Amino acid sequence: DAKTTQPPSMDCAEGRAANLPCNHSTISGNEYVYWYRQIHSQGPQYIIHGLKNNETNEMASLIITEDRKSSTLILPHATLRDTAVYYCIAWRIQGAQKLVFGQGTRLTINP
Amino acid sequence: DGGITQSPKYLFRKEGQNVTLSCEQNLNHDAMYWYRQDPGQGLRLIYYSQIVNDFQKGDIAEGYSVSREKKESFPLTVTSAQKNPTAFYLCASSKIAGGPGEQFFGPGTRLTVL
């Protein structure tokens, strides 16, 4: 599975859109991009995933560049409860049965 | 409500003792996983199971053992052979073994070995 790179930390004002970048320049054609988040001292929570099309659900939007080498997770109206570590993971169907969680991005939502 | 339960939330043990962490799911998921998380780090896979009575080692299986006698249960034993067992342990499950990586996580057990 491709390696992903994320900034270690970001800040965002409450009510604004939080845009979390992820670089996955070595991603292959059959690898999905998954996003999870982990609020302090809790288990990670699935947010969204995509292959090459942009995706949106009730929690967030995922924008994947045309060359698939990077993606952005967008939380449209961040709240204080969105403060968490966000993990971007590349995962290949039929590949290893594991998600490789890197260091993630620590997102702090400020009032 | 469907979900994954882990118990206890906090666990203290003396060095040299084996300890078993519980993980139960009522989601009817086929696959279950155990991860370990150290402070400030990501998750590392210990063991996973795609079907009852079968399991595979993850990246850091040494010093740990598991069983999968029932679909809904996947207990993890931390043995005395584990050199540094103090950590946050997370159990997860997913609907389809080999399918997309949407995993559901339990609340975790924080193990402290004194």
Side-chain angles (χ1 to χ4, degrees):
Chain A
D1 297 328
K3 179 179 166 59
T4 61
T5 304
Q6 300 176 253
S9 63
M10 292 182 63
D11 286 272
C12 180
E14 188 178 17
R16 304 295 294 270
N19 297 292
L20 292 91
C22 179
N23 182 285
H24 31 78
S25 58
T26 62
I27 199 168
S28 60
N30 61 352
E31 283 188 275
Y32 284 76
V33 178
Y34 276 79
W35 283 83
Y36 282 74
R37 73 179 183 184
Q38 186 175 23
I39 295 170
H40 183 61
S41 295
Q42 297 182 21
Q45 176 190 25
Y46 164 83
I47 301 173
I48 199 167
H49 73 278
L51 185 60
K52 49 185 173 182
N53 296 322
N54 298 337
E55 302 287 344
T56 295
N57 63 20
E58 64 277 4
M59 287 182 69
S61 295
L62 174 61
I63 308 298
I64 303 174
T65 58
E66 195 169 337
D67 63 8
R68 301 188 70 241
K69 292 186 177 183
S70 66
S71 60
T72 301
L73 179 75
I74 301 172
L75 307 178
H77 304 288
T79 71
L80 298 179
R81 287 178 293 182
D82 292 321
T83 293
V85 177
Y86 287 77
Y87 298 99
C88 170
I89 302 164
W91 191 88
R92 179 169 56 89
I93 282 187
Q94 307 292 329
Q97 296 301 305
K98 64 180 181 181
L99 297 174
V100 179
F101 288 79
Q103 303 288 332
T105 295
R106 183 172 298 277
L107 175 67
T108 302
I109 306 300
N110 300 306
Chain B
D1 283 337
I4 300 179
T5 57
Q6 290 185 245
S7 60
K9 189 172 175 67
Y10 298 95
L11 190 55
F12 296 88
R13 280 294 182 269
K14 291 184 179 179
E15 194 172 343
Q17 289 181 332
N18 291 356
V19 60
T20 297
L21 280 59
S22 166
C23 178
E24 303 278 331
Q25 54 99 358
N26 61 3
L27 300 166
N28 199 32
H29 284 175
D30 290 312
M32 297 186 74
Y33 310 81
W34 273 106
Y35 293 90
R36 169 186 171 134
Q37 187 173 36
D38 293 288
Q41 305 296 313
L43 283 66
R44 292 184 290 167
L45 183 67
I46 305 172
Y47 268 99
Y48 63 98
S49 167
Q50 299 185 68
I51 195 169
V52 174
N53 293 323
D54 187 47
F55 47 83
Q56 286 78 41
K57 293 181 179 180
D59 298 320
I60 55 166
E62 186 176 349
Y64 299 97
S65 66
V66 293
S67 64
R68 186 87 187 276
E69 296 176 2
K70 298 185 295 182
K71 187 176 185 178
E72 59 271 21
S73 178
F74 192 40
L76 173 75
T77 296
V78 184
T79 76
S80 57
Q82 168 51 231
K83 296 285 186 266
N84 186 18
T86 293
F88 187 44
Y89 290 88
L90 287 154
C91 179
S93 70
S94 63
K95 186 173 185 180
I96 304 169
E102 184 176 346
Q103 295 184 10
F104 292 80
F105 284 81
T109 292
R110 194 169 297 279
L111 173 65
T112 302
V113 175
L114 307 171

